[in-house]
Amino acid sequence: MGSMNTYTLENGVKIPVLGFGTWQTPAGQTAKDAVKAALDAGFTHIDTAEMYGNEASIGEAIKESGVARDELFITSKLDNQAHSYDLATAALEKSLADLQTDHLDLFLIHWPNPKAFRDENWEEHLQDTWRALEDAYKAGKVRAIGVSNFKPKHFEVLAQTQTVKPMVNQIRICPGDLDQETIAYCQANNILLEAYSPFGTGKIFTDKTLNALAETLDQSVAQICLRWSLQHGFLPLPKSVHPDRIKSNTEVFDFELTESEMQQIDDLTGIAGYATDPDTADF
Ligand SMILES: NC(=O)c1ccc[n+]([C@@H]2O[C@H](COP(=O)([O-])OP(=O)(O)OC[C@H]3O[C@@H](n4cnc5c(N)ncnc54)[C@H](OP(=O)(O)O)[C@@H]3O)[C@@H](O)[C@H]2O)c1
């Protein structure tokens, strides 16, 4: 799969260490152009979700690019409106059709406790939903399964009934926003941490410390953020719709942050705000 380094998931599946983000990338020409620019720049890992509304455009872009399916790692995530066994099973089929593929490389439960199912049985809804992902995994429709926005207590709910452990947790991680408890839990349980919003959804670029480091190292603030994430062993998912930025976001393998530079970034707090609480989110 391409030339990018990989992490290895618990089941042996290899996953490129950098993925291309597509949240808020409008469906249609914008999404198609962004994905093609990403493939040209060397991204082989694309992160989308049913709720982003752009899977069909991404599917078209991939098809038109001519890149072989087995050169790519494609992730999607379950719609918050589909937290039951049957709804989740059907939702995955729709993603496969929209992305024009017979399998996903990774399918995630997007949020553990969506508003539409936040009742006294939310734990059961979550367990039923996970069972749908397990069955899809066992049927070979997805090469790996995981979750997103999970805290340790949500993993404990799955653990009561799971037959397959989540292999990935995709959470918000950027300078100033590290959920240490969840990070430690995932690391202890061999659950790969994907870092979403590695630039705090664009809120990070004015930070003084990061700008000073960028200047010293002759890299962009974006590159500093991605390098920091990688050196922590996270899998960052930068989003852009601009080809020049997309390209530069892949150029993060030819420099290194020292221990003290890592520490300076670790010491930042709240510079781009904090993750949404999955148990009170309004969606
Ligand atoms: N699982 C979840 O619940 C969840 C939640 C949020 C995000 N995610 C995933 O993580 C991905 C990334 O997170 P995100 O979309 O929140 O934002 P992000 O990647 O942290 O930041 C994206 C913003 O930074 C800008 N940008 C990108 N590269 C840049 C560069 N080199 N220089 C200057 N500006 C740059 C982009 O602008 P332009 O696009 O205009 O270039 C955009 O405004 C998402 O797309 C999605 O795939 C998942």
Side-chain angles (χ1 to χ4, degrees), residues 20 31 33 56 66 83 124 143 149 164 166 198 206 215 226 240 273-274:
F20 182 62
D33 289 346
H83 272 229
E124 214 171 293
R143 295 174 64 232
N149 298 294
V164 180
T206 53
E215 196 168 327
L226 296 174
S240 177
Y274 292 100

Side-chain angles (χ1 to χ4, degrees), residues 202-239:
K203 292 198 211 88
I204 218 145
F205 295 111
T206 53
D207 179 73
K208 281 201 183 70
T209 303
L210 294 174
N211 277 280
L213 282 169
E215 196 168 327
T216 307
L217 293 163
D218 196 21
Q219 304 289 334
S220 69
V221 168
Q223 289 165 329
I224 300 288
C225 290
L226 296 174
R227 189 67 219 171
W228 169 83
S229 197
L230 289 164
Q231 284 184 219
H232 270 302
F234 306 139
L235 192 159
L237 301 167
K239 172 265 180 188

Side-chain angles (χ1 to χ4, degrees), residues 147-196:
V147 298
S148 179
N149 298 294
F150 268 45
K151 291 174 179 285
K153 70 177 210 190
H154 304 113
F155 285 105
E156 301 302 340
V157 171
L158 290 194
Q160 293 168 19
T161 55
Q162 74 195 13
T163 59
V164 180
K165 239 182 79 186
M167 296 152 196
V168 166
N169 189 17
Q170 182 181 126
I171 59 173
R172 189 178 197 264
I173 300 178
C174 61
D177 186 14
L178 285 151
D179 176 353
Q180 296 291 3
E181 194 191 342
T182 299
I183 290 169
Y185 181 93
C186 290
Q187 288 173 338
N189 287 284
N190 197 23
I191 297 163
L192 180 73
L193 285 155
E194 294 189 338
Y196 79 63

